[in-house]
Amino acid sequence: MLAPGASLPQRSQAGQTVLELAGVDAFYGKAQILFDLSLTVGQGEVVTVIGANGAGKSTTLNVIIGKVKPAAGEVRLDGRPVNDASVEAIVSKGVTCVPQRRRIFSALTVRENLDVGGYVRRHDKAALKAGLEECYELFPVLAKKANSLGGVLSGGEQQMLAIARGLMAGPRVLLLDEPSMGLSPKLTVEMFEDIRRIAQTGRTIVIVEQNAYAALSVADYGYVLENGRVSLSGPAEELIEDDYVRQTYLGA
Amino acid sequence: MLGQVIASGAAMGAIYALVALGYVFVWNTMGIINFAAGEFITFSAYIFVGTLITSLALPFPFALALIAILMAAMGAAFSRLVFSRLQRQRALVAIIATVGFGIFLKEMAHIIYGPEPLMYDGPFGMRTLDVAGILISYQQLLILAVVTLIMAAQYLVFRYTMLGKVMRAVAMDRETAALMGIPVERVLAGTFAYSSVLAALAGLLLAPLFFVTVDMGTMVGLKGFVAMIIGGFGSIPGAILGGLLLGILENIASFTISSAYKDAIAFALLLVFLAFLPQGILPEKVVDRA
Ligand SMILES: Nc1ncnc2c1ncn2[C@@H]1O[C@H](COP(=O)(O)OP(=O)(O)OP(=O)(O)O)[C@@H](O)[C@H]1O
Ligand SMILES: [Mg+2]
């Protein structure tokens, strides 16, 4: 399954490595999902992982956030291994995951969803206030609907809320699981525009997506995940041009 | 006379509401009905009357604080050790396990405190107050005051504090709450502890109205369950309304028909609701569009 011409140029690492998976194997019960998976995310980078249904994208994020413990290999944050850290510990260290399908607390208001997102910073009132202001600035519609129940928002608004809720924890690294899922082409474009704006705040972002073109367009670097293995990786602009990627994921 | 009947029915109903709320919280967060709730009431009434008030002769407010702490600790421990494990079991297994734990508590009370019923006059003794011709005992006033206070405090905590929002988030979607760094197991234990405190309050408030016996909480526990169903399964306002309604209706019925049927009336009411309004009076609203 390896693409022809898989030897793309080495990435020029601008900043320091923030997040790293090294040779990770992961299982659900007896089923192995990830095989010797390695990936590197530099400070301030936007990294996109593309892959088909069931390739192991969500599992990869679950390993990073501490929900799934790797059976082999290492997860490193700022160079230190965090294999045994709880989700709470990882979130407190500045990594948050915006889950697939948004998972809004439907009977909580928009504002309450954001408050819950800030749980790990609950004792830092000033930071929470600044976080809330940033969210409302990024997504003005959330300020307007602050008192609406999360469940009555449109799909696009719910995705904004899910991302904003993630930002409330004050992450340095934001993990986004299929942010374009269920959005119209127009909303998808807007969503990735929002993601680009978040990247401009200096945050590091990992996006896993099936919508390869949109997600690679905003990324610095990309990985292709197939059956739990990295089959290809390289600078995003080169992956978009790559014949194999174009045929398999861009429908061209 | 009707005013009298309604007033004492409301006091009893307030107790049912406390118990019903306990069921609601445990159901909403863990998806299990705690059929030991009635025995939590019995057990805490024994500790309160037998140990704290009689043996240790503690003043009422101290005893109240202590029983709340004790039952919260017992609830949290029970939740961590037993309930969290029952989550992965089939519903029937969970039900039988809680019933079994109830029997265990009942027998423990029997072993520790003996077969004789305990008597307790309450902090105000047997005095009554005449409010516009309605005789209401201080104990009934205390019940109504404590329950009103608890409901108000609970509303404020749920609505406005981080703790309240986190509890609601965990009840709604545990997995996502965990993703926000919320320690879900601890929140579940805390919720169960709170429902145990509600049972403890029910026990100590009821003690002066009945003798404290090993069967004291059983019927109240069942009626609290009935109150939750007629109010709307899993609904907080429903539990409060259902409790009050049940207390008042059963009192009116036992006054106009016969007090011999008092307990039967609660279950007749349950059948009526299950037949004609199975979702209850104030069912939980489900909001989800996208
Ligand atoms: N909790 C689980 N228990 C058992 N198997 C699971 C679990 N979650 C995922 N899997 C399996 O692991 C494999 C990878 O799933 P994963 O969710 O990581 O894929 P994905 O790339 O995110 O797919 P999608 O695009 O559909 O979200 C799939 O075969 C899936 O069936
Ligand atoms: Mg997925």
Side-chain angles (χ1 to χ4, degrees):
Chain A
M1 281 289 281
L2 264 178
S7 56
L8 284 160
Q10 280 301 300
R11 78 206 284 188
S12 58
Q13 200 80 70
Q16 267 181 309
T17 297
V18 178
L19 180 69
E20 211 177 350
L21 299 188
V24 164
D25 288 351
F27 291 75
Y28 284 118
K30 285 200 172 72
Q32 184 163 5
I33 308 298
L34 300 181
F35 300 82
D36 192 26
L37 184 81
S38 297
L39 60 85
T40 306
V41 182
Q43 167 63 40
E45 255 185 341
V46 177
V47 169
T48 288
V49 178
I50 57 177
N53 286 112
K57 302 184 298 296
S58 297
T59 307
T60 304
L61 296 189
N62 284 339
V63 166
I64 297 172
I65 201 74
K67 225 167 101 173
V68 171
K69 299 296 170 198
E74 210 162 65
V75 184
R76 297 190 201 108
L77 193 59
D78 303 319
R80 275 186 290 276
V82 288
N83 285 34
D84 301 324
S86 65
V87 175
E88 195 182 352
I90 302 274
V91 176
S92 301
K93 285 178 201 288
V95 183
T96 53
C97 181
V98 177
Q100 191 166 356
R101 290 172 214 287
R102 326 187 228 289
R103 307 287 287 259
I104 295 304
F105 298 115
S106 56
L108 263 55
T109 66
V110 166
R111 174 63 204 272
E112 288 171 338
N113 268 279
L114 295 174
D115 290 343
V116 170
Y119 176 80
V120 294
R121 294 201 289 178
R122 64 196 173 285
H123 300 302
D124 190 349
K125 296 279 180 271
L128 284 183
K129 190 161 170 284
L132 196 63
E133 274 164 19
E134 188 195 2
C135 288
Y136 286 164
E137 208 179 296
L138 268 168
F139 305 111
V141 66
L142 297 182
K144 221 174 73 209
K145 301 204 170 178
N147 295 317
S148 307
L149 292 182
V152 307
L153 299 185
S154 72
E157 289 164 347
Q158 288 199 347
Q159 185 61 56
M160 293 180 205
L161 178 55
I163 293 177
R165 183 179 61 183
L167 289 175
M168 285 299 289
R172 298 177 288 143
V173 182
L174 191 61
L175 313 174
L176 301 174
D177 197 339
E178 301 205 32
S180 79
M181 184 183 255
L183 300 186
S184 70
K186 178 169 173 290
L187 279 179
T188 301
V189 170
E190 288 174 20
M191 177 52 58
F192 280 101
E193 204 40 58
D194 292 330
I195 292 170
R196 199 195 296 274
R197 281 193 294 150
I198 294 169
Q200 280 160 4
T201 63
R203 289 188 180 89
T204 305
I205 299 181
V206 179
I207 309 169
V208 309
E209 260 295 346
Q210 300 203 43
N211 191 333
Y213 185 78
L216 285 172
S217 300
V218 299
D220 299 303
Y221 203 82
Y223 290 87
V224 178
L225 196 60
E226 288 178 342
N227 302 316
R229 294 178 173 86
V230 172
S231 63
L232 190 61
S233 67
E237 64 264 28
E238 290 175 27
L239 280 187
I240 289 186
E241 298 299 326
D242 185 86
D243 283 342
Y244 175 74
V245 173
R246 289 173 72 95
Q247 276 170 24
T248 319
Y249 295 99
L250 302 176
Chain B
M1 199 59 210
L2 188 65
Q4 182 83 53
V5 172
I6 290 176
S8 58
M12 202 57 211
I15 300 279
Y16 298 153
L18 279 184
V19 181
L21 279 175
Y23 286 116
V24 169
F25 287 128
V26 173
W27 171 257
N28 284 354
T29 51
M30 302 193 173
I32 298 178
I33 291 296
N34 175 21
F35 283 106
E39 281 63 43
F40 275 67
I41 297 171
T42 306
F43 198 65
S44 58
Y46 268 107
I47 298 176
F48 187 78
V49 174
T51 303
L52 304 183
I53 294 285
T54 309
S55 302
L56 301 178
L58 294 177
F60 182 79
F62 284 116
L64 181 78
L66 206 55
I67 190 73
I69 293 169
L70 282 173
M71 290 302 286
M74 188 179 104
F78 180 61
S79 161
R80 287 301 277 266
L81 298 176
V82 183
F83 251 62
S84 60
R85 264 157 248 232
L86 292 181
Q87 302 264 289
R88 288 180 284 270
Q89 296 288 345
R90 272 169 301 162
L92 193 63
V93 177
I95 290 171
I96 299 297
T98 67
V99 170
F101 188 69
I103 294 170
F104 169 76
L105 281 181
K106 206 185 226 180
E107 291 309 315
M108 284 297 286
H110 191 91
I111 291 166
I112 299 171
Y113 296 98
E116 294 297 314
L118 305 183
M119 267 176 277
Y120 173 50
D121 286 344
F124 304 112
M126 290 298 172
R127 282 179 295 158
T128 55
L129 195 69
D130 190 329
V131 188
I134 299 172
L135 282 182
I136 181 158
S137 72
Y138 278 87
Q139 185 62 27
Q140 287 171 330
L141 283 177
L142 180 71
I143 292 173
L144 290 170
V146 168
V147 173
T148 307
L149 205 71
I150 288 279
M151 303 286 138
Q154 175 190 295
Y155 176 80
L156 294 175
V157 167
F158 262 60
R159 189 84 178 72
Y160 297 109
T161 68
M162 178 59 94
L163 177 68
K165 290 170 207 171
V166 161
M167 283 167 84
R168 281 151 64 206
V170 168
M172 231 170 286
D173 183 348
R174 237 187 254 189
E175 210 184 320
T176 304
L179 211 53
M180 328 258 96
I182 293 166
V184 170
E185 286 297 323
R186 257 187 287 158
V187 174
L188 295 181
T191 309
F192 199 88
Y194 178 59
S195 83
S196 307
V197 170
L198 293 177
L201 281 175
L204 71 94
L205 289 171
L206 270 182
L209 302 185
F210 300 125
F211 293 116
V212 178
T213 66
V214 288
D215 295 318
M216 158 191 178
T218 309
M219 192 52 82
V220 179
L222 282 174
K223 286 186 186 169
F225 186 60
V226 171
M228 177 182 77
I229 291 173
I230 68 181
F233 212 101
S235 153
I236 292 173
I240 299 169
L241 190 71
L244 288 174
L245 198 69
L246 179 59
I248 292 170
L249 286 182
E250 77 170 4
N251 225 29
I252 290 177
S254 73
F255 179 72
T256 52
I257 306 168
S258 159
S259 64
Y261 296 120
K262 190 165 184 171
D263 292 338
I265 286 155
F267 299 102
L269 203 62
L270 173 66
L271 292 180
V272 169
F273 267 87
L274 287 179
F276 298 107
L277 195 61
Q279 74 276 28
I281 306 166
L282 296 171
E284 272 253 284
K285 281 197 278 307
V286 179
V287 264
D288 215 343
R289 238 185 57 185

